[in-house]
Every structure is written in C-alpha cells, then in structure tokens.
Amino acid sequence: MTLEIPVITPLRVDDHSRDIAGLTYVYPVVSRRAGGVSVGINLNPNNACNWRCVYCQVPDLQRGPAPDTLVSQLESELDLMLNDIVHGDFMQRAVPEGARRLNDIAFSGNGEPTTSAQFLECIDVVGRALDRFVLRGQIKTVLITNGSQLDKANVQAGLQQMATMQGEVWFKLDRAPQDGFEFVNQIKLNRQQVTRRLATAAALCPTWVQTCMFALDGELPDEAVLSAYVGFLAEQLAQGVPLQGVLLYGLARPSLQIEAPRLAAAPTEWMQQLAARIEAIGLPVKLSV
Ligand code: SF4
C-alpha cells in the first residue's frame, strides 16, 4: 500500500455518490500534493497482506493473500468511476479546484495486490478501461508492491503489460535486504531473492524504490543501517539495474500496528540529508515528510 494516503475528498451523500463511495475494489483519492485525482484499486478488501510492516496504516491488518478477485465486478466499478470522472461531474462535485486532473490508476490497497491470483486479469481490466476512455498514454498506471511475488509468471506478465500503459512500479525496500528476519517488514527476507526481484521489476517496467524511514524507540536508523541501504542501491546501479529513483517517505501518518507507540517521525532535516545522500549516487529522490 502507499505510505502517503492523501486526503480523501468527502463525496456528496446522494444516491450516485454513495454508489461510488461504496465500491468494493475502486476508490477515488484526491492528492493535493500531486495536484490531481488517483483512481485506487484495492485488491485486498479483506485487509490482508503477506507482510506486516510496523508502520502499516491498514486497519485490522491480517496476514494472508488477497481473496479471489471478482474481475467482472472490478471492471464495472472502474467503468463507473472513470465514466463519472471523464464524462460526469465528479471533478466539479468532489474535487477542489486546482486538483481537477486525473493523474493515474493505482493498485494501492489494503494489502499486497500481487497476491491476487487474478492480478494479470486485473491489469488487463485497466488496459481495456484506458482504451475505452481514451486514456492510454494520458495517465499513469501505478503498482505499489512489496515485490514479494515478482518471481511469479503472472505477476511478471502483468508488469510487462503495465509497461505499455505508462506503468510505474513502486517497489518497497525499507532497508538493505539481509538474510533473516526484517523487523521493519516483520518478514524473513533473503538478500539474493530481493535483489533478483527488484532487478526483475526494473527490467519489465519503470521501477521506483519506495522507502520509509522513522525513529524506533527514540533512535533514528544508525550509520551502519544507512550506509548499507545507500550501498545496496549503489550496487544495483553498478549492476545496471535501471532504477528510476527513490520515493522516500517519513512517518506522515500514524501506524495502525501494535508497534505504533514505538515509532516517531524522523526530523525533516535528517530526511533531507538522506535524500541528498541518495541523490549523490545518481538516483532522483521524491521526498514526502
Ligand atoms: S506491504 Fe507493508 S505497508 Fe504495504 S500493506 Fe503490506 S504490511 Fe502494509
């Protein structure tokens, strides 16, 4: 899921708006920062993820995969939403002036979207919708992922499709991957596996690394953690992995996990220094604090 959950503009409470707001898979998000509307696709309406990041903002997060996706329902919901945005009065009705622009369609839900067995079909749904609403080449298709399913053929095929849809993968990499249990993501990682999956994503579709930094028990990540992280990124560049850059997030919103009281936002200046350090190895950084 995205770490930056921008303001969700309240929709007017009439029948039509209730329909839109009450969809299972599709939801509109207005991002003042991005100056536009993102159509979110949530393939995890069961609030289930195979990871349990300590900063995760999903309420009642469960461990597990996405449930089977009702692809035809997803298609009708996306149609309804895009029809209201492109041909209806959604922008005037629900979006503040200055943000009345459709930015992207983003797989960004309450869990890991690529654990849906129908992930590839869902990408196809978006591709068809882009064609129907003459949006192909006009807006981005974004996948926010922890990268854990990148060895699967259907996920790789999905990314390949996304590349034809102005696709962008936001690949979660909070710390340099080590062999063993990663506290931040509450999952056992394998460095070689993560490295391979990141390279696979980047080879198939333009890929940004997505990183969250914060203080734990009053301590910011120390120099060993930071140099391992920046060193890992530099290593990927040296290996020719075509990373687009880093989306560097602070703890803008409180975690909804049990570790929440132990976490605190890092000072802005600290985040800026880290951003500068990443930029120094040749990667653009988009910083959100
Ligand atoms: S990958 Fe982490 S942040 Fe994203 S939904 Fe899963 S537990 Fe939450």
Side-chain angles (χ1 to χ4, degrees):
M1 62 160 276
T2 179
L3 299 171
E4 181 207 7
I5 301 178
V7 179
I8 296 181
T9 301
L11 301 174
R12 222 174 57 198
V13 187
D14 58 27
D15 284 348
H16 186 58
S17 295
R18 258 203 315 273
D19 284 346
I20 297 278
L23 301 179
T24 301
Y25 297 116
V26 174
Y27 60 98
V29 178
V30 176
S31 169
R32 288 197 169 82
R33 193 196 304 264
V37 173
S38 173
V39 172
I41 296 182
N42 177 17
L43 298 184
N44 306 73
N46 58 349
N47 293 3
C49 188
N50 56 341
W51 288 17
R52 193 187 70 74
C53 305
V54 294
Y55 54 76
C56 183
Q57 299 152 5
V58 172
D60 303 318
L61 182 69
Q62 314 290 319
R63 281 270 189 188
D68 273 344
T69 308
L70 303 172
V71 178
S72 58
Q73 183 179 340
L74 169 63
E75 187 140 33
S76 357
E77 290 188 8
L78 192 55
D79 250 19
L80 184 67
M81 188 75 248
L82 288 176
N83 193 51
D84 199 12
I85 291 174
V86 175
H87 302 305
D89 63 352
F90 177 84
M91 293 294 191
Q92 278 67 35
R93 197 174 77 236
V95 182
E97 227 174 303
R100 290 178 181 155
R101 190 169 63 89
L102 179 58
N103 272 341
D104 58 74
I105 298 178
F107 286 87
S108 160
N110 289 355
E112 175 51 41
T114 59
T115 58
S116 165
Q118 290 77 32
F119 175 69
L120 178 56
E121 287 103 301
C122 297
I123 297 287
D124 287 339
V125 162
V126 174
R128 286 197 292 275
L130 291 175
D131 290 336
R132 259 198 310 284
F133 290 92
V134 200
L135 290 169
R136 195 179 281 264
Q138 308 294 315
I139 62 169
K140 289 193 291 190
T141 303
V142 177
L143 168 67
I144 299 174
T145 179
N146 61 27
S148 60
Q149 309 299 303
L150 252 301
D151 291 331
K152 293 185 178 164
N154 70 318
V155 177
Q156 293 179 5
L159 264 58
Q160 230 162 356
Q161 288 279 73
M162 280 181 59
T164 69
M165 296 154 59
Q166 284 205 333
E168 248 179 39
V169 175
W170 297 3
F171 190 109
K172 186 179 296 298
L173 184 92
D174 290 318
R175 303 291 179 269
Q178 308 294 336
D179 292 337
F181 187 75
E182 172 55 63
F183 172 82
V184 174
N185 308 112
Q186 295 287 301
I187 194 81
K188 199 170 166 206
L189 294 177
N190 171 298
R191 184 180 171 97
Q192 209 187 350
Q193 213 172 43
V194 174
T195 309
R196 183 182 67 237
R197 290 170 179 166
L198 179 61
T200 301
L204 294 171
C205 186
T207 295
W208 288 75
V209 164
Q210 186 191 195
T211 299
C212 181
M213 289 284 176
F214 51 87
L216 174 73
D217 298 329
E219 300 285 332
L220 288 162
D222 63 17
E223 179 50 32
V225 169
L226 296 181
S227 58
Y229 168 77
V230 178
F232 178 79
L233 292 175
E235 217 177 278
Q236 305 321 301
L237 292 180
Q239 296 293 324
V241 178
L243 298 176
Q244 302 296 305
V246 175
L247 306 166
L248 181 59
Y249 294 92
L251 206 66
R253 282 162 182 266
S255 160
L256 291 179
Q257 308 310 310
I258 47 165
E259 293 83 2
R262 301 176 58 191
L263 312 185
T268 302
E269 201 180 314
W270 187 92
M271 294 292 286
Q272 287 167 339
Q273 279 168 6
L274 176 58
R277 207 166 152 178
I278 300 166
E279 281 167 347
I281 62 166
L283 278 175
V285 177
K286 293 183 191 170
L287 175 63
S288 308
V289 287

